[in-house]
Amino acid sequence: MKRIVFIAILAGFCATSASAQWYPNTYRPPGLNWQELQTPHFKIVFPDGEDSVAYRTARILEHEYPEVQQLVGGQLSDFPVVLNNYNDRSNGFVSSLHFRSEIEIPPIKGKTMNPRSGNWLETVVPHELVHALHYNHLDGFWARIVKLFSPDAARSIQGSVPQGVHEGIATYYETAGVTPGGGRGNYPYFRNQFDAVFSSSERWSLGEMLSISAYSRPFDRHYIGGYQFTSWLQRTYGGDATREAIDFFIRWPFLGYGTALRHSTGQWPGTLYDQFVEDQERGDEANFATYDPMPIRFEGAEIRRPAWLNDRQLLVYGSFYNASPGFYTYSLEERRLKNVIKIRSVGDYNYDLSSDKTRLLFSSYRSSPIYHNTFIMDLYEADIPSGSVKRVSTNLRAFAPVYQEDGLLALQTDQESNALVMLDRAHSALQVNASLPLPDTKFVSVKPNPSDARQLAVVANRRGLQGLWIVHEDSIRQEVGQVPEISFEKGSVFDPAWHPSGNRLMFSSDHTGTLQLYEYNLETRTLSRITSATHNAMEGSYSPDGERIAFVIQQKNERLPVILERSNFAGQPVPASRWSPSDKKERLMARKELGSDLEEKTASWQVTSYQPGGEWIRPRTIMPTVSEISNSGTYEAGLSFHSNDLLQRNAYQLDLSHVQRRLWYDLTYRHTGFFPGMELNAFSTPSFNTIMVENQTGNEEPLQFLRQDVGASAGIPTRVILENNVRFSSVAVTPSVTVRGTRFFELDHNGEPASNYAHSAGVNLSSSLAYRVQQNIRDLQPNSGLVFYSELEHFFGGGSASLETADYQQLIDFSNATAWHSGLFFYTAPLKHLNQSLRVGIEAMTQTAPVFDNQRLVSNGFSEPVFAAAKHLLSVNTRYTIPLFYPDAGGFFFPAYLSNLYLVGFSDTVADVEHYGLGSASRTVLGLGLRTRFRISNLTFDLGVAVGYEPARNHVTPFAGNF
């Protein structure tokens, strides 16, 4: 069934697919014993034992609330903020559907966030608060009207603004309104990605800056461009420019956000963009060196942490548009990459090589088999020559591992921070010898000296000051508590790497406004800058003789590897006053946490056990719907009711509709408070069936009837994820029992049925298998893997429907009916480097009574229903995708955004195997179509037009839809 859900937003109805639940269920790990902390504006829901994190989150929220409200308006009361501590793949978000925020307590790994912002909570909580207040700014007539039917849909009015506007405002606030020097707008790693593209021939338009990029790097483009434009807007047109635009938009959403900017600034978006470009071009020009990166044969290269295997070969981590992510060797002689291991690394990309350079130690995310959005970091060791990989830890939640003599060092999740752990390899499984969490300290990386494994280079962040300590293993706690040996007041330190001699140490720092590489001489205690990159140089490593370095530079929208000879080092001395310990740095390390001035008020904030109550039973959204029935061209119209609870354990959907002079309903309730959960369904649903009936002359002919199925079912949907990294494998099984009555009506009937009810009870078993399915960034369908599905239904006992009309009669026997349909799809990519992919499928259906609609196996390219009355149907089909281009571009005033355009060649051979087999009587269609994925505002569409050609009939069928 194709269903369109219409949301009364802005100037009409915006269509979105409703094939998925609007209010989904989530499996969360058991035993969390959820608690609740109530504050004046917020309800913090968190696992037992995370009280301190909950209180600190609450203090930050209440502390920042007035300032954020002044920036974007809106108001919050009892706003739910869910904290979870079980997912290491960290993020934070605000959802308008069941309006809430959810934040993972473990911090994001890698360079994504500005270290100067402070800890993870100080970084993410203010940002998400901006979104929450912005979404809930509903002071407009149209928002109030929509709110009557769905407060969540009313918040989606603000959500219809391009996402770059939302993220730009939130990033602007985290930059200008929270911590001095903090926020991504003050962060060269983030900001220079914009500069690298702006100064190139691939400069972003305003629409590109403010829209999500689906197929082109950087994938946080809407954050980067949104911040740059919002920051410029606030500087140029005053601090109220954004607030005035938001206020105008919610009053007049039909006019779009471009008109709102015209109201607040007096200029249309095109003029604003021209002014923005002119201001950006006035930037100071500086003298930088030009580095020629090594050639990469794949597109959209993201190369990280090049390390030397020998004088002629590097190891790198790489991700590309048209190749698998993982570890690659790079031959300096052949200047070519070769994949060694296909795997996704943890986002800091820290790994280590054994002393003989044959083994690789790294961290990767391992998905929970049954719990949603639950990824645990574990350590892996690979044999580089063979490419074999084994997991060496179990649920350790560790990353950034390094070899140290007979053991390992790594970092481990510690609430919203990272602790240093020392691991023993003497046993069959890794054992934690010592764990070193330090108050107000987040460890970032640790590297043992190759000449003395007990001497460590430690990069850690203390209250926003991220510096480098060179310490002995036994004195880490004492020394890291002091001001770091190397740090900068206006920047951070990253990427320590020892010289093979052990007397020099290389690292990167952004204190000049650009990430550059530096070399510290331990003997002379002097520091010099060794690169002069235009838009960031980072993640350097020494060659075996120490006379060359490999590192990564930002070039346009890619990160590429560079080799630099020591003779070409910049060799620019850095005065000790910039990097040495100082009283000011000591004061920075003692900076109080955001919101700490509210500690006294928190005494009145009480923690209680979280109880969902029954509020979720009340619909959160009521929407008009229109649905096509059985691909017949007949539509049913109605209302759809949706809701779930805060932790998404309970959810329901009720569809009420009218067609063919009758009311219909379909109610589904799902519960996931335990695994595997359950699903209950009550229904009275329509479909159209073609039935072979006997006419007055005694001959059979096909005739279409309206079918009504009334009944209820109970099922146990079970899904287990076997693999979720570069490849995806899963098994899903849903056994269910159903009781139903089935009867038939003539088309355009007068209300009287054409048959009695045929009552039956039955069982259904639906299953699916995805095996090693892989899809690269710009692939439009998987390039490898298998997908299998099956559904089996059997009725126990049951009766018959006696179908009688003025001209026809037929007995339809449902007693002991059995129906089965299944399909197997195989994916391959003959031209994988071009992102082209072939799918070959075989699908079959057999049934003793009309239980399933057999046209679900038939391509839309046929001119008419194919073997509509057949009980045994077979389909052999193919689908080949050919990308044409990926614009990833669009407008702003009219927010239409084109993601891609691609050709699809397809074929489908269908046979009634009971009567004809696969011989000359089968029907075949060949087709070619053009498809595109695009967005209007934030609504995504995948549309296509195609032509189907039946060679045997010499018949051409143009159509639009799925193919």
Side-chain angles (χ1 to χ4, degrees), residues 590-647:
R591 177 176 64 87
K592 290 186 176 181
E593 187 175 56
L594 197 64
S596 59
D597 55 337
L598 297 180
E599 285 192 33
E600 292 184 5
K601 294 183 179 180
T602 62
S604 61
W605 301 349
Q606 298 298 315
V607 172
T608 58
S609 178
Y610 168 73
Q611 299 295 332
E615 293 183 0
W616 63 273
I617 298 175
R618 183 177 60 192
R620 296 190 65 89
T621 292
I622 305 173
M623 288 297 164
T625 65
V626 174
S627 304
E628 185 183 12
I629 305 173
S630 302
N631 296 322
S632 64
T634 300
Y635 290 82
E636 56 179 330
L639 294 174
S640 187
F641 301 76
H642 304 259
S643 189
N644 67 354
D645 67 1
L646 177 61
L647 294 180

Side-chain angles (χ1 to χ4, degrees), residues 21 25 27 649 651-652 666-672 674 676-682 712-718 734-738 766:
Q21 289 176 257
N25 292 80
Y27 289 107
R649 294 167 170 166
Y652 72 82
D666 190 353
L667 171 64
T668 301
Y669 164 75
R670 301 174 182 88
H671 178 73
T672 53
F674 59 89
M678 64 177 180
E679 178 175 301
L680 305 177
N681 181 227
S713 67
I716 303 175
T718 305
T734 302
S736 62
V737 295
T738 304
S766 300

Side-chain angles (χ1 to χ4, degrees), residues 387-617:
S388 62
V389 180
K390 64 177 180 179
R391 181 158 55 98
V392 296
S393 70
T394 303
N395 299 329
L396 189 60
R397 307 189 74 173
F399 67 106
V402 292
Y403 293 102
Q404 188 196 35
E405 295 181 338
D406 296 331
L408 305 177
L409 299 175
L411 307 183
Q412 187 179 51
T413 294
D414 178 35
Q415 289 189 316
E416 81 284 7
S417 188
N418 305 320
L420 176 64
V421 290
M422 301 171 185
L423 305 170
D424 184 1
R425 301 195 73 182
H427 304 276
S428 58
L430 282 178
Q431 293 185 355
V432 177
N433 274 350
S435 178
L436 191 65
L438 293 179
D440 295 324
T441 302
K442 183 179 79 171
F443 286 94
V444 177
S445 63
V446 56
K447 300 291 182 182
N449 189 324
S451 298
D452 179 3
R454 301 299 175 185
Q455 186 182 42
L456 307 176
V458 175
V459 172
N461 188 313
R462 299 207 61 192
R463 303 299 306 120
L465 183 69
Q466 185 161 301
L468 175 66
W469 286 260
I470 302 174
V471 301
H472 191 275
E473 180 182 86
D474 296 333
S475 59
I476 296 175
R477 187 180 298 276
Q478 294 77 18
E479 295 192 46
V480 176
Q482 306 300 315
V483 179
E485 186 165 341
I486 300 174
S487 62
F488 301 91
E489 293 176 8
K490 296 185 178 181
S492 303
V493 173
F494 310 86
D495 310 323
W498 286 100
H499 189 276
S501 67
N503 59 15
R504 291 190 182 100
L505 187 65
M506 180 168 51
F507 61 87
S508 62
S509 175
D510 60 1
H511 69 279
T512 63
T514 303
L515 268 165
Q516 303 288 4
L517 294 176
Y518 296 82
E519 187 176 60
Y520 179 61
N521 190 312
L522 277 69
E523 295 176 348
T524 63
R525 296 190 176 277
T526 56
L527 183 67
S528 62
R529 177 171 52 81
I530 58 179
T531 62
S532 300
T534 308
H535 302 118
N536 296 336
M538 58 187 184
E539 299 174 2
S541 68
Y542 287 102
S543 63
D545 63 1
E547 293 304 306
R548 291 181 292 172
I549 59 172
F551 60 98
V552 173
I553 63 168
Q554 180 80 44
Q555 187 174 87
K556 295 183 182 179
N557 60 355
E558 294 183 308
R559 294 192 176 106
L560 301 172
V562 172
I563 300 291
L564 187 65
E565 301 281 347
R566 179 169 289 275
S567 59
N568 292 323
F569 285 8
Q572 181 67 42
V574 181
S577 58
R578 292 187 186 175
W579 52 267
S580 298
S582 68
D583 293 341
K584 185 173 183 180
K585 293 175 183 177
E586 189 170 2
R587 289 193 296 273
L588 287 174
M589 291 170 57
R591 177 176 64 87
K592 290 186 176 181
E593 187 175 56
L594 197 64
S596 59
D597 55 337
L598 297 180
E599 285 192 33
E600 292 184 5
K601 294 183 179 180
T602 62
S604 61
W605 301 349
Q606 298 298 315
V607 172
T608 58
S609 178
Y610 168 73
Q611 299 295 332
E615 293 183 0
W616 63 273
I617 298 175

Side-chain angles (χ1 to χ4, degrees), residues 658-664 706 708 743-757:
H658 184 272
V659 70
Q660 290 278 319
R661 302 186 182 94
R662 296 194 66 81
L663 292 174
W664 310 88
L706 173 68
Q708 179 186 18
R743 63 178 176 175
F744 297 88
F745 296 82
E746 292 185 84
L747 301 187
D748 299 319
H749 60 90
N750 59 5
E752 293 299 320
S755 77
N756 61 302
Y757 272 116

Side-chain angles (χ1 to χ4, degrees), residues 711-739:
S713 67
I716 303 175
T718 305
R719 185 187 186 192
V720 177
I721 296 175
L722 307 175
E723 180 183 13
N724 190 7
N725 199 278
V726 174
R727 297 181 177 90
F728 179 81
S729 300
S730 71
V731 176
V733 179
T734 302
S736 62
V737 295
T738 304
V739 292

Side-chain angles (χ1 to χ4, degrees), residues 889-904:
F892 177 69
F893 183 76
F894 180 70
Y897 185 86
L898 183 62
S899 295
N900 61 35
L901 192 68
Y902 61 105
L903 288 173
V904 177

Side-chain angles (χ1 to χ4, degrees), residues 20 72 126 228 268 294 345 386 405 513 586 592 597 718 808 875:
V72 297
Q228 293 287 347
W268 291 106
M294 294 180 285
S345 169
S386 68
E405 295 181 338
E586 189 170 2
K592 290 186 176 181
D597 55 337
T718 305
Y808 304 94
S875 168

